[in-house]
């Protein structure tokens, strides 16, 4: 499977990310998440936490590729979603577009079973997580039906979702 960086570098038009979980237990976030819980602090844009992601997004957007992220969240939100909301301004400064959709408004949408990245309309990278939120080995597919499902799901969520700057938790 190609690296995520290679996938994003291959995007010509867009990279769309749909997040479906209320809690993620990603190891590299542990320290900054615990700091946020302690005192509300968020990592600076030039911190080690963002060192791989923000430059990747900036160079992707600079090539004319749209990077959009939509999050479906339960309300009231979990502490982890409060953390994600607090750090999202860095994503925006890098050039991502981010929207939030309360889960109750997603009830009638056809959604895949896992988070995903859709690269153009050609490839899906599935982000797979264990029940307790640990990241597992991702998967990918170029199956046209899976691509179509993800494209339609993302667009449906995006159309209903609230822009980050207007979403209040």
């Amino acid at each position: 499977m190609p690296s995520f960086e290679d996938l994003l570098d291959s995007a010509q038009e867009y990279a769309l990310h749909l997040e479906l979980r209320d809690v993620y237990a990603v190891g590299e976030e542990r320290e900054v998440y615990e700091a946020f819980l302690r005192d509300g602090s968020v990592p600076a844009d030039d911190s080690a936490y963002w060192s791989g992601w923000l430059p990747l997004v900036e160079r992707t957007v600079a090539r004319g590729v749209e990077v959009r992220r939509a999050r479906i969240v339960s309300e009231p939100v979990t502490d982890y979603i409060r953390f994600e909301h607090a750090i999202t301004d860095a994503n925006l400064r890098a050039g991502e577009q981010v929207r939030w959709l309360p889960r109750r408004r997603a009830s009638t949408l056809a959604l895949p079973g896992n988070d995903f990245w859709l690269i153009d309309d050609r490839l899906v990278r599935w982000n797979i997580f264990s029940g307790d939120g640990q990241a597992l080995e991702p998967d990918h597919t170029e199956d046209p039906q899976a691509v179509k499902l993800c494209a339609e799901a993302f667009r449906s969520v995006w159309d209903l979702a609230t822009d980050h700057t207007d979403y209040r938790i």
Side-chain angles (χ1 to χ4, degrees):
M1 177 164 42
S3 72
F4 182 74
E5 187 172 346
D6 289 342
L7 288 177
L8 213 53
D9 284 343
S10 75
Q12 300 298 308
E13 296 179 44
Y14 58 81
L16 309 177
H17 186 34
L18 182 61
E19 297 178 6
L20 302 166
R21 299 179 59 90
D22 288 316
V23 176
Y24 295 86
V26 180
E28 64 266 13
E29 292 181 336
R30 185 169 315 281
E31 282 186 38
V32 294
Y33 178 57
E34 288 173 358
F36 173 79
L37 292 177
R38 254 189 330 273
D39 60 20
S41 63
V42 297
D45 290 8
D46 62 354
S47 68
Y49 176 78
W50 288 116
S51 65
W53 183 249
L54 296 183
L56 177 59
V57 171
E58 288 168 349
R59 83 169 185 250
T60 302
V61 171
R63 292 188 298 108
V65 175
E66 257 190 292
V67 179
R68 292 192 281 162
R69 179 186 305 258
R71 294 173 170 142
I72 298 177
V73 296
S74 300
E75 293 179 322
V77 300
T78 63
D79 285 342
Y80 186 86
I81 296 301
R82 283 189 321 106
F83 164 69
E84 277 194 329
H85 190 269
I87 67 172
T88 295
D89 284 342
N91 298 80
L92 299 179
R93 286 189 295 273
E96 277 190 70
Q97 301 170 54
V98 180
R99 292 187 182 179
W100 303 80
L101 181 64
R103 192 170 309 281
R104 71 176 56 210
R105 295 187 59 214
S107 296
T108 61
L109 301 181
L111 301 170
N114 291 294
D115 290 15
F116 65 84
W117 278 91
L118 176 62
I119 307 300
D120 299 325
D121 266 341
R122 63 179 176 79
L123 184 138
V124 175
R125 175 192 159 121
W126 303 109
N127 289 346
I128 311 296
F129 295 91
S130 65
D132 64 357
Q134 299 294 322
L136 302 175
E137 189 66 29
D139 199 1
H140 77 284
T141 184
E142 295 180 33
D143 175 70
Q145 289 184 322
V147 167
K148 182 180 178 193
L149 169 67
C150 291
E152 290 174 356
F154 188 89
R155 289 179 183 106
S156 295
V157 170
W158 192 257
D159 289 346
L160 289 174
T162 302
D163 188 77
H164 175 73
T165 57
D166 297 324
Y167 184 69
R168 305 287 177 250
I169 59 171

